[in-house]
Amino acid sequence: MALKIAIQGIKGSNHHQVARDYFGDEVDLVECSSFDLLVEHLLNKTADKGIMAIENSIAGSIIPNYALVFSKNLHIIGEHYLNIHHNLMVLKGQTLEDIKEVHSHPMALLQCKDFFRNYKHIKLVEDVDTAETAKRIQEGQLRGIAAIAPKVAAELYDLEIIEANIQTIKDNSTRFIVVKTQNKVLPESAINKASVRFITDHKRGSLAAILNVMSDCNLNLTKIQSLPVIEMPWKYSFFVDVTFEKYKNFEKAKALLQIMSEEFKVLGEYKNARII
């Protein structure tokens, strides 16, 4: 039986591309209109695993998804980096001069803004999703309207890409995490990255002391993100990603951090997908 993989968006989206890259084509996609719905499918066991965007090299962290992973007790079991390519696509046989409106996700429109400065006749319209727009153009045979979407959307919905890679910043990538309701799926020998969450007390130097422990245990800090603790005004939690060469180094750090911090929790142990 094929794995049921929950994604935010529909077929043709960047999440769909990640599902293909990570799991291959033989998966059963569970399309979700929101990340909250994606999590519900995991908790209700109507999906085996989920794929969630967590940060973008231009736009930064997707803060609500950090909170979702922690509050719903999900576990990160893998990650994938996807280079984002924005392509302008239309019903076949049209040109740029025929286009009156371009519909896409607000972030996609923003990242392609410079391209459209040369086409004053085109109106930019915010939409809920990139692939959703591409699908609607094909289903409604909408002429004069273009979508900004991944290449896979043009393939699936039989649209023509009239301009490829129209994003302003060409080196634009998004980090996606693979989540499920159980922790690590790899043997310890294959694990070289982890995500943790903790709260520090209000003593001076508390965070610095924790970061020093990570350094002393030969952990490399690759990401730190603070979020307010809703039920504790003016207190903050820290979401941290670390990489390491030996799992025993992370084990040592875990033991120390559980003592030094409040509400320490491992969010996932997995393989680093970004080897430089």
Side-chain angles (χ1 to χ4, degrees):
M1 185 180 292
L3 276 175
K4 290 185 177 180
I5 307 299
I7 62 168
Q8 189 276 322
I10 67 168
K11 290 177 182 176
S13 64
N14 284 318
H15 280 79
H16 177 206
Q17 184 64 59
V18 173
R20 287 172 60 170
D21 292 347
Y22 195 89
F23 294 105
D25 291 326
E26 300 303 314
V27 294
D28 185 4
L29 286 183
V30 180
E31 300 173 341
C32 305
S33 57
S34 68
F35 288 111
D36 290 283
L37 185 58
L38 183 154
V39 171
E40 280 185 35
H41 277 288
L42 291 174
L43 298 179
N44 295 335
K45 301 191 184 306
T46 46
D48 300 308
K49 300 173 184 178
I51 293 171
M52 301 172 69
I54 198 72
E55 59 180 313
N56 177 264
S57 59
I58 297 173
S61 298
I62 304 173
I63 302 294
N65 286 355
Y66 280 92
L68 265 179
V69 169
F70 170 72
S71 64
K72 300 302 182 181
N73 201 30
L74 298 180
H75 296 279
I76 302 169
I77 60 165
E79 65 176 2
H80 184 78
Y81 289 84
L82 181 71
N83 290 325
I84 304 301
H85 300 286
H86 292 310
N87 302 289
L88 192 66
M89 55 191 70
V90 295
L91 286 175
K92 291 180 177 178
Q94 296 184 95
T95 66
L96 262 173
E97 286 65 37
D98 299 321
I99 305 307
K100 297 181 177 62
E101 295 181 1
V102 171
H103 295 222
S104 197
H105 187 278
M107 189 59 67
L109 293 173
L110 182 64
Q111 292 176 358
C112 301
K113 200 171 180 181
D114 285 357
F115 174 83
F116 291 105
R117 286 195 176 129
N118 297 321
Y119 302 96
K120 304 294 185 184
H121 68 285
I122 295 177
K123 179 182 178 183
L124 303 183
V125 181
E126 294 186 359
D127 217 321
V128 293
D129 186 56
T130 53
E132 187 88 37
T133 303
K135 182 181 180 182
R136 194 164 60 245
I137 288 173
Q138 181 56 247
E139 289 180 343
Q141 290 293 292
L142 304 178
R143 305 190 70 79
I145 295 179
I148 299 172
K151 182 180 178 182
V152 65
E155 296 170 3
L156 284 171
Y157 304 119
D158 196 29
L159 298 180
E160 182 177 354
I161 295 176
I162 54 175
E163 290 286 342
N165 296 322
I166 63 171
Q167 66 272 11
T168 303
I169 299 174
K170 301 307 178 186
D171 187 9
N172 174 17
S173 64
T174 296
R175 177 183 173 227
F176 294 79
I177 52 175
V178 182
V179 293
K180 64 180 298 188
T181 54
Q182 293 174 313
N183 203 351
K184 58 187 179 186
V185 296
L186 297 172
E188 290 180 359
S189 59
I191 294 171
N192 59 3
K193 188 170 184 177
S195 297
V196 301
R197 184 257 194 195
F198 57 83
I199 299 174
T200 60
D201 58 34
H202 280 302
K203 293 178 184 176
R204 186 178 64 186
S206 294
L207 178 58
I210 286 176
L211 297 181
N212 283 334
V213 164
M214 291 181 179
S215 178
D216 291 343
C217 292
N218 294 313
L219 306 187
N220 178 38
L221 181 74
T222 60
K223 174 75 177 180
I224 183 167
Q225 178 70 53
S226 64
L227 265 74
V229 182
I230 304 300
E231 63 275 14
M232 302 166 71
W234 305 114
K235 199 148 194 175
Y236 290 84
S237 60
F238 295 92
F239 290 78
V240 171
D241 293 336
V242 291
T243 59
F244 41 87
E245 290 185 7
K246 298 178 180 178
Y247 185 81
K248 67 179 183 180
N249 291 339
F250 177 60
E251 276 192 315
K252 181 181 177 182
K254 271 195 297 186
L256 293 170
L257 295 178
Q258 283 170 338
I259 297 169
M260 295 176 65
S261 61
E262 301 176 23
E263 294 188 23
F264 178 82
K265 183 180 180 181
V266 176
L267 301 175
E269 301 173 12
Y270 48 98
K271 186 175 182 179
N272 182 13
R274 193 163 181 260
I275 306 297
I276 297 176

